[in-house]
Amino acid sequence: MRSKLTVILTALAVAVASAIPTLSATGVSAQESEDSSDGQTSYIVLMDLDPVLEYEGGVDDLARTKPEDGDRPNPKSRAVRQYRKYLNQQQNETVEAVDLKPTNIINRFHYATVGFSVLLTEREAEEMRRQDDVVSVERDVLYQLDTDASPEYLGISEPGGAWDTGYTGENVVVGVIDTGIWPEHPSFTDDGTFDAPPDEWTGDACDFGDTAYNPDDVGFECNNKLIGARDMRATYIALIGAEVYNSARDYNGHGTHTASTAAGNADVTASVFGQDLGTASGIAPGAHLAAYSACGDLGCYGSDLTAAIDQAVADGVDVINYSIGGGAAALTAAGLAFLTGNAAGVSVATSAGNSGPGDATVGSPGTDPWITTVGANTHDRSFSGAVTVGDETYTGASITAGSEELLLIDAADRGNELCDPAVQFEPAMEGEMVLCARGAVARIVKSQAVSEQGGGAMILYNQNDTQELVTDSHWVPSVHVTFTDGNAIKAAIATAEGDLTATIEALGAEPTPGSVMAGFSSRGPNPITGNILKPDVTAPGVNILAGSTPTSSPGPGGELFQSISGTSMSSPHVAGLMALMTQAHPGWSPAAIKSALMTTARQDVVREDGTTPADAFDMGAGHIDPSGDASAPGSLFNPGIVFDAGPADYVAYLCDIAPDFVGGDACDTVEGAGYPLAAEELNQASVAVGEVAASTSVSRTATNVSDKTLNLTPTIESPPGTEIEVSPTRLTIARGRTASFEVTITTLADATIDEWSFGSITWAEFSRGQGERGVSAYMPVVVRPVALAIPPEAIDEGAEGELSFDLRFGYGGEYQAAAHGLAAPETISGIATQDTTPEGGSPVFDPSDGGQGATTHEIELSGATYTRLSLGTENLTVPDGTPATDVDLDLFLYDSEGNQVAGSTAGGTNELLDLTLPEDDTYTLYVHGWATAGADEIGYDIQTWTVPDTTDGSL
């Protein structure tokens, strides 16, 4: 009989048919793969077969490959080799069934999920879907990439702290899935103090040295620090090409930066542009590193990412950093692979995304509860420069050298306010310092435009005073200043009428306010379900000094360090801490490690305005806090209690949010085993309930991981408008045992309906001595009171009959049901054009794009109870030779006061806006040309339906 876990994960594999979407989100985006010249493009095919991690035997005479609890599979063992051979045969037969050769297969997945990626035409893909052993055939997706003082700032380098205790990540393997690695970097030097890789490590690849492709790609022999490196860009190379290096060598610096932040060597001397910036250290300097190059200049294909996850788990990594993201989805191929890796004990940190500060902007796989999702904030150090304009001096962010005294001009006066490289400065520059406005094109590209068109230096100013100041490796001496300072400089230039000079002075490292959320950091609520809190925690991600590659792009190159910003930079801080935690507690599950990170976090974080306290949608449970005595009760390394979860818990969660993905048999199995099929019941170190009508209850189970019996009582901070009760009011938990409690949330008369509210529960020891530190476990609570709690849909078929559903009231008084029916549908037609002004590499929508990459339509809504706007690939009119599936149009809806009320940014053109009880107003609909596949114009017909507040008889 197959184990419960095997049944569950097999059911998940079967369920993925709809779970690998084409995604996109502002700032963190994904788009469908490009077609090859013969009309083929990459597809991911998943099969109804047990992966190596879950195979328990039963196929012919093939031995079990599923490891015992706590062990890893050995890819070199006879059992695994034989089973992989069997899986390869099944994959080959599936491809041959559609008259293709096995050589068409690009990537094969064996360990965390079973499947492959292959180049297919749409006709071949349809035929592939009809094969009995195939459960999913989905077009591949191109995703985008989303310390120096950090160890000191986090407190892990202080006396008695983690490093002093011996927690440096020794014998732990950190895998980094990114753009590769620069192997000769001093952050990855093997100084002879590193032990050999652990016995569980089976990775034997060190993919460097393809000098035939690029003579600069010299060979490198991996060592006891950098123990492995693989080039996983099979799909990318097949469709786009190898670009700079045909190996795992980092081409742009992103992968080297994240790897050195997570697990770079300690106290490495750092300099940029000749400036001595002190020393840099990774969070887990004693850990081993393995690099998986899965991304190119244009992004990362989902098939390559899934293959990289699959390979990393097979190689034996303990922790994965994944600073890559896409739009929100209930389940992706990468998310499924991570779920299986979770069952094998692999902890994963991922970036929340760079689409903040708007609501519900966290992207996948960061929406998944089995992954630790990290927001970004400042720490207390940045690199600064001073620009003196006349008699005034302004300080901003800078990592470049200073400049001599130069004539200062406003780029707007030369016809190129944004310093766009596609626009010529008129008249041409002759060595002047230029004032450039932020926006539209990448910041670093602005200085490149200044350099290439004859400028000598740059002042970059923000579009508002809540945007962060960031240090980029600019092409000319540069300082990044605030909106206020930028406008003051702009006024001074206008007043001087062309006779104003300025100088830039490099100031180096200077103190700045820490624990301020970055404006770009993506926020909750979780767009998949309001019953799971995301992000989980926040960490430093602004102006992080770490490694780079000398061939960094789009910067000037030649440097081994850079100071850059993003949730990509915050995620490896958490991955590094996961390595320290794995060393300290090798038997803990990924959920237990995530729980400890959350319950010991601190909450003294503010929003990007610098004053407003951050809430759980900004920071999750709070700022990671590994400071203090690592052995003290209540510390990260001794949290006292954890909230544990495993694969069956996560499948129960999926049975709630995506039951069609999982399948009824698996859901019946986990429910019969006692797992509640409700996302809000998932045993996490947080409580989130997206619909509280009158009263609702959820439960949690705490596990005592201390060395003594714990006696805990809760301190409750009820979210405004609600009252929280916890039962029992005391928990007594013996060492190694568990105890459950129930949290009841009741809405009060003053509750604000349909608005999120924030509170907390803190479990603390009540018998400790006066002044003695004890266990204190913090749990954020987020709730949304509603007037009615009803299922999202109720379906029945037939010409007559009855349909029942549960309804909970969140108010007192009368209730009257009314019948409503659809009015006749209407069509909105127009022409979309390409948005040609991307900042950071991808088009970013702004209402100012109207007429420049966004087509506008006025929509009058009055007396509507429900309105839907839909735009799909089938609604497009494209020129000959332009595949409609390559076109990506997005929809945004704004009210008459300029507030965004809805948006849809799916990959490809698969957009849907649903408005429930919209206010009577004149709205503006923007059709944004995120990607028009090279066409000058794309015709579209948006279908609209409205259910009015009165009915003409239709239902």
Side-chain angles (χ1 to χ4, degrees):
M1 180 177 177
R2 304 169 75 194
S3 74
K4 177 169 62 179
L5 180 58
T6 302
V7 172
I8 291 167
L9 292 177
T10 300
L12 269 178
V14 174
V16 169
S18 303
I20 308 173
T22 54
L23 311 168
S24 93
T26 303
V28 184
S29 25
Q31 62 190 77
E32 291 184 342
S33 60
E34 298 291 332
D35 285 342
S36 61
S37 58
D38 57 0
Q40 292 182 323
T41 192
S42 177
Y43 284 82
I44 298 176
V45 180
L46 295 186
M47 303 179 69
D48 185 13
L49 295 168
D50 287 334
V52 169
L53 283 170
E54 291 303 321
Y55 173 65
E56 292 189 321
V59 176
D60 298 332
D61 296 322
L62 297 179
R64 166 190 171 123
T65 60
K66 180 180 179 179
E68 299 298 331
D69 291 343
D71 294 335
R72 299 291 181 85
N74 180 1
K76 299 179 182 179
S77 70
R78 186 175 187 277
V80 172
R81 286 188 288 110
Q82 291 287 80
Y83 186 59
R84 285 189 62 195
K85 182 179 179 180
Y86 164 77
L87 294 179
N88 284 341
Q89 290 173 342
Q90 301 305 302
Q91 293 167 347
N92 292 348
E93 290 174 7
T94 300
V95 170
E96 290 169 341
V98 296
D99 296 327
L100 295 175
K101 296 179 179 179
T103 53
N104 285 52
I105 294 177
I106 300 174
N107 281 306
R108 296 179 187 263
F109 320 134
H110 303 103
Y111 291 91
T113 189
V114 177
F116 54 91
S117 65
V118 60
L119 294 180
L120 301 171
T121 64
E122 179 55 35
R123 182 195 61 78
E124 291 165 340
E126 285 296 331
E127 191 172 350
M128 182 76 74
R129 291 184 180 102
R130 291 193 288 269
Q131 303 308 307
D132 291 340
D133 57 352
V134 169
V135 296
S136 169
V137 180
E138 296 297 327
R139 189 164 175 145
D140 212 341
V141 173
L142 190 64
Y143 294 85
Q144 298 298 320
L145 296 161
D146 275 349
T147 77
D148 66 336
S150 291
E152 180 180 351
Y153 175 63
L154 296 175
I156 59 177
S157 60
E158 61 191 28
W163 288 0
D164 197 36
T165 307
Y167 300 149
T168 63
E170 184 178 351
N171 291 322
V172 178
V173 181
V174 177
V176 179
I177 298 175
D178 213 294
T179 65
I181 198 165
W182 192 260
E184 298 87 359
H185 197 282
S187 293
F188 314 130
T189 299
D190 181 358
D191 61 2
T193 63
F194 294 94
D195 292 335
D199 292 340
E200 294 81 10
W201 176 254
T202 60
D204 55 4
C206 193
D207 293 345
F208 301 107
D210 189 348
T211 54
Y213 183 84
N214 184 334
D216 293 333
D217 185 14
V218 298
F220 182 86
E221 184 175 346
C222 289
N223 49 51
N224 288 338
K225 177 61 178 180
L226 179 59
I227 62 176
R230 294 182 184 271
D231 186 0
M232 304 300 300
R233 299 171 300 153
T235 301
Y236 194 94
I237 291 172
L239 291 178
I240 297 173
E243 297 175 330
V244 181
Y245 301 112
N246 192 36
S247 74
R249 186 172 291 277
D250 188 4
Y251 60 89
N252 79 347
H254 193 275
T256 300
H257 194 281
T258 55
S260 58
T261 299
N265 291 334
D267 301 324
V268 178
T269 300
S271 65
V272 179
F273 298 130
Q275 295 188 81
D276 182 1
L277 300 179
T279 60
S281 299
I283 301 301
H288 304 290
L289 266 170
Y292 300 84
S293 178
C295 304
D297 270 335
L298 298 181
C300 329
Y301 278 105
S303 56
D304 291 339
L305 294 169
T306 304
I309 299 165
D310 196 67
Q311 187 64 58
V313 173
D315 286 344
V317 302
D318 301 293
V319 175
I320 291 177
N321 184 72
Y322 190 83
S323 292
I324 300 163
L331 189 63
T332 64
L336 175 61
F338 279 136
L339 176 55
T340 311
N342 178 284
V346 179
S347 294
V348 178
T350 192
S351 45
N354 299 336
S355 299
D359 293 342
T361 47
V362 173
S364 291
T367 54
D368 295 335
W370 48 88
I371 290 174
T372 302
T373 306
V374 190
N377 56 265
T378 64
H379 59 63
D380 60 357
R381 186 279 302 129
S382 186
F383 301 102
S384 301
V387 56
T388 300
V389 179
D391 296 329
E392 297 291 334
T393 298
Y394 306 89
T395 301
S398 177
I399 203 168
T400 62
S403 76
E404 60 185 357
E405 186 175 11
L406 300 173
L407 185 67
L408 177 62
I409 64 172
D410 187 344
D413 295 336
R414 301 288 177 100
N416 190 5
E417 181 179 20
L418 296 171
C419 296
D420 187 336
V423 178
Q424 293 296 312
F425 292 91
E426 297 288 350
M429 293 182 292
E430 298 180 358
E432 298 96 329
M433 185 182 300
V434 187
L435 177 68
C436 297
R438 183 176 182 176
V441 296
R443 299 179 303 271
I444 200 168
V445 173
K446 296 175 184 289
S447 65
Q448 184 176 10
V450 171
S451 175
E452 291 176 347
Q453 296 194 46
M458 180 182 74
I459 304 170
L460 176 66
Y461 71 97
N462 279 342
Q463 294 294 313
N464 58 67
D465 277 330
T466 62
Q467 286 182 301
E468 57 283 325
L469 302 178
V470 290
T471 50
D472 297 300
S473 297
H474 284 293
W475 291 77
V476 294
S478 302
V479 176
H480 186 177
V481 300
T482 65
F483 172 74
T484 297
D485 288 349
N487 276 282
I489 296 170
K490 191 178 187 74
I493 296 172
T495 302
E497 296 182 349
D499 192 23
L500 186 64
T501 60
T503 58
I504 291 176
E505 177 188 3
L507 300 178
E510 290 199 332
T512 56
S515 301
V516 179
M517 291 302 303
F520 59 74
S521 186
S522 291
R523 312 298 166 96
N526 189 333
I528 298 303
T529 172
N531 295 327
I532 296 291
L533 176 63
K534 289 291 180 173
D536 297 299
V537 291
T538 186
V542 177
N543 299 339
I544 304 301
L545 178 67
S548 183
T549 169
T551 59
S552 63
S553 173
E559 303 294 327
L560 284 177
F561 288 88
Q562 59 182 334
S563 177
I564 55 178
S565 303
T567 53
S568 281
M569 285 61 255
S570 57
S571 177
H573 284 81
V574 170
L577 288 181
M578 287 174 166
L580 305 188
M581 293 287 289
T582 301
Q583 179 191 357
H585 304 288
W588 281 19
S589 69
I593 291 174
K594 173 183 172 181
S595 171
L597 287 162
M598 295 177 69
T599 61
T600 63
R602 55 180 173 82
Q603 290 74 50
D604 54 342
V605 181
V606 295
R607 286 183 176 170
E608 59 275 8
D609 61 11
T611 56
T612 305
D615 60 41
F617 287 161
D618 302 315
M619 63 178 180
H623 193 293
I624 54 172
D625 185 13
S627 64
D629 183 350
S631 62
S635 70
L636 171 62
F637 300 93
N638 188 13
I641 60 173
V642 297
F643 297 89
D644 209 353
D649 299 274
Y650 297 129
V651 173
Y653 152 81
L654 288 171
C655 287
D656 181 16
I657 68 156
D660 292 341
F661 290 179
V662 183
D665 291 345
C667 295
D668 291 343
T669 299
V670 293
E671 187 173 30
Y675 295 91
L677 307 188
E680 63 270 24
E681 292 284 356
L682 183 61
N683 199 44
Q684 297 213 106
S686 59
V687 173
V689 184
E691 290 188 344
V692 179
S695 181
T696 192
S697 297
V698 299
S699 62
R700 293 291 185 268
T701 299
T703 301
N704 183 350
V705 292
S706 74
D707 58 1
K708 63 180 181 180
T709 296
L710 292 175
N711 296 295
L712 305 173
T713 57
T715 298
I716 300 170
E717 181 181 342
S718 296
T722 71
E723 181 179 64
I724 290 180
E725 294 181 352
V726 174
S727 178
T729 56
R730 286 191 177 187
L731 292 180
T732 298
I733 319 176
R735 175 184 177 183
R737 304 303 292 272
T738 64
S740 299
F741 58 92
E742 188 172 71
V743 179
T744 299
I745 306 160
T746 303
T747 58
L748 303 177
D750 62 349
T752 303
I753 298 300
D754 293 329
E755 288 193 10
W756 289 94
S757 187
F758 305 91
S760 64
I761 300 169
T762 303
W763 289 96
E765 289 185 276
F766 63 84
S767 61
R768 62 183 184 273
Q770 184 68 28
E772 178 186 349
R773 179 176 178 178
V775 169
S776 180
Y778 174 87
M779 301 178 66
V781 178
V782 298
V783 300
R784 185 170 67 100
V786 295
L788 295 172
I790 59 175
E793 61 182 14
I795 300 174
D796 200 359
E797 296 180 357
E800 60 183 23
E802 296 181 350
L803 176 62
S804 299
F805 56 89
D806 293 331
L807 171 65
R808 297 198 315 274
F809 292 89
Y811 66 95
E814 295 183 351
Y815 169 74
Q816 182 177 359
H820 302 278
L822 280 172
E826 297 181 0
T827 300
I828 299 173
S829 300
I831 300 293
T833 59
Q834 175 68 51
D835 183 344
T836 58
T837 57
E839 178 173 9
S842 297
V844 177
F845 170 74
D846 186 272
S848 63
D849 290 334
Q852 303 178 50
T855 306
T856 61
H857 302 274
E858 280 196 358
I859 298 178
E860 189 81 27
L861 293 180
S862 178
T865 64
Y866 188 89
T867 296
R868 166 171 288 185
L869 295 88
S870 173
L871 176 61
T873 302
E874 68 278 7
N875 305 125
L876 301 179
T877 302
V878 298
D880 292 341
T882 300
T885 52
D886 285 356
V887 175
D888 189 347
L889 305 185
D890 297 327
L891 300 181
F892 299 90
L893 191 68
Y894 281 70
D895 64 19
S896 59
E897 296 182 357
N899 302 308
Q900 183 178 334
V901 296
S904 178
T905 58
T909 302
N910 185 24
E911 314 308 324
L912 192 67
L913 299 182
D914 284 326
L915 309 174
T916 302
L917 297 175
E919 296 287 340
D920 292 353
D921 198 1
T922 300
Y923 295 84
T924 301
L925 174 67
Y926 295 86
V927 183
H928 182 231
W930 197 90
T932 61
D936 293 333
E937 295 183 344
I938 300 292
Y940 57 81
D941 294 312
I942 300 172
Q943 307 300 312
T944 70
W945 297 267
T946 293
V947 179
D949 55 7
T950 58
T951 178
D952 60 0
S954 66
L955 283 174

